[in-house]
Amino acid sequence: MSPKSNIWFLILLFSPLVVIVLSSFDTVFAQESEEYVIRRVEIWALFYRLMVAAFVVGAVVQGAIVYVCWRFRESHKRNKVREIEGV
Amino acid sequence: MGHATIEWVYVGVVIALLTWVGAESWNVERIVEHVPAEAETIKVTGQQWFWTFEHQDGKKETGELHLKQGVPYKFELVSKDVIHNFNVPDYTILMDAVPGRVNVVWNLFDKPGEYHIQCREYCGFGHSTMKAKLFVEPQTVEAAENATAAPTQVPPAPAQAPTQGQNATSAAPAPASST
């Protein structure tokens, strides 16, 4: 991978997590502007944020596994048979 | 062939993710644990196999709890025998009642209605029946009528003719409910 494609890859990977983190600030400020914090709103909002993060991480891991399996399959053009050393 | 960079990125991402999860959780816990000074105290006693409640003014209730909408309440949970757990699912309240200890949880009930209270820590044979009812009463009679009524307007009391600038919520007594 070239450095430029690395950067884009990392931006694509981290942008959902950054959006989640930034959106949590709005939630906190919205709650703090009222007189009292509503417990269930805070807790459910945290739950949704963590679930989104968990599913994003799961998707990334699954995507990485799929890519590795596809890239290193036997029939891939760039996978040439190499000589085994010492034999 | 080495992949040191990408491996360190992977380690960094995992550490950052776990730090973020921990920080978010700690922050929400800090926010919801801060009890308002003006919260009214309700002493909640769990015992096999029912709940009793004592209000700040000394009023006691067994098996049901009447609270007001929009008022912060602080629950002091105690147990007379084994560990119980005070749970109001609709308001995400979940806190153990441990013998020899007072646990505190507070909440503001923003929607009037009838809700369930249940025990969420196995406490013996009657655990599944250790329930109570929570009644959140509306702040005003007008709010009660708005919560239950069809869209018909309540006629003003005949003694008070509406005048310009008169506040709709000011002191005229509301007519009694017909239900």
Side-chain angles (χ1 to χ4, degrees):
Chain A
M1 271 179 138
S2 64
K4 276 191 180 174
S5 60
N6 269 344
I7 290 167
W8 285 112
F9 175 71
L10 289 173
I11 290 171
L12 188 67
L13 179 67
F14 288 117
S15 54
L17 296 180
V18 169
V19 166
I20 293 163
V21 169
L22 291 177
S23 67
S24 68
F25 293 135
D26 290 336
T27 306
V28 170
F29 290 141
Q31 282 276 18
E32 287 177 355
S33 63
E34 299 172 5
E35 197 176 346
Y36 296 111
V37 164
I38 298 176
R39 178 189 191 90
R40 71 170 188 284
V41 170
E42 285 291 330
I43 292 172
W44 278 109
L46 176 67
F47 171 76
Y48 294 139
R49 284 199 298 279
L50 295 184
M51 283 294 275
V52 169
F55 274 88
V56 166
V57 169
V60 166
V61 170
Q62 283 186 19
I65 292 170
V66 166
Y67 170 75
V68 167
C69 291
W70 173 81
R71 169 61 182 83
F72 294 102
R73 69 190 191 280
E74 192 175 358
S75 58
H76 195 278
K77 284 180 211 172
R78 292 171 71 173
N79 291 343
K80 295 178 185 170
V81 176
R82 295 173 187 266
E83 289 181 4
I84 301 170
E85 291 181 10
V87 174
Chain B
M1 49 181 189
H3 297 282
T5 305
I6 198 163
E7 285 177 8
W8 282 114
V9 167
Y10 178 78
V11 169
V13 164
V14 170
I15 290 174
L17 197 66
L18 293 176
T19 305
W20 175 71
V21 168
E24 284 273 13
S25 306
W26 179 85
N27 192 41
V28 169
E29 196 165 354
R30 178 188 65 83
I31 289 167
V32 301
E33 277 183 353
H34 172 70
V35 183
E38 61 277 17
E40 188 179 319
T41 302
I42 309 280
K43 188 180 168 192
V44 179
T45 304
Q47 62 192 86
Q48 286 169 326
W49 286 286
F50 58 96
W51 296 101
T52 51
F53 308 97
E54 185 176 341
H55 294 256
Q56 211 163 283
D57 57 6
K59 179 182 161 196
K60 290 186 182 175
E61 298 185 87
T62 303
E64 57 184 49
L65 177 62
H66 290 81
L67 300 175
K68 294 188 219 75
Q69 177 191 8
V71 174
Y73 289 96
K74 178 174 86 168
F75 299 98
E76 293 182 348
L77 308 176
V78 297
S79 170
K80 284 192 172 177
D81 35 51
V82 298
I83 298 177
H84 302 276
N85 185 288
F86 181 68
N87 176 222
V88 184
D90 290 311
Y91 280 97
T92 330
I93 300 172
L94 189 79
M95 183 63 73
D96 277 353
V98 180
R101 180 186 170 89
V102 180
N103 280 339
V104 173
V105 61
W106 82 276
N107 194 50
L108 180 132
F109 299 92
D110 56 329
K111 292 185 180 171
E114 185 179 329
Y115 303 97
H116 296 292
I117 297 171
Q118 58 191 14
C119 178
R120 282 299 292 265
E121 185 66 43
Y122 180 72
C123 53
F125 184 75
H127 163 69
S128 58
T129 60
M130 187 171 167
K131 298 181 184 184
K133 285 188 182 172
L134 169 66
F135 297 95
V136 178
E137 289 154 3
Q139 267 183 330
T140 58
V141 177
E142 185 182 341
E145 289 168 351
N146 288 341
T148 57
T152 53
Q153 290 193 350
V154 176
Q160 300 212 359
T163 55
Q164 271 193 344
Q166 183 177 7
N167 189 344
T169 58
S170 62
S177 170
S178 59
T179 55

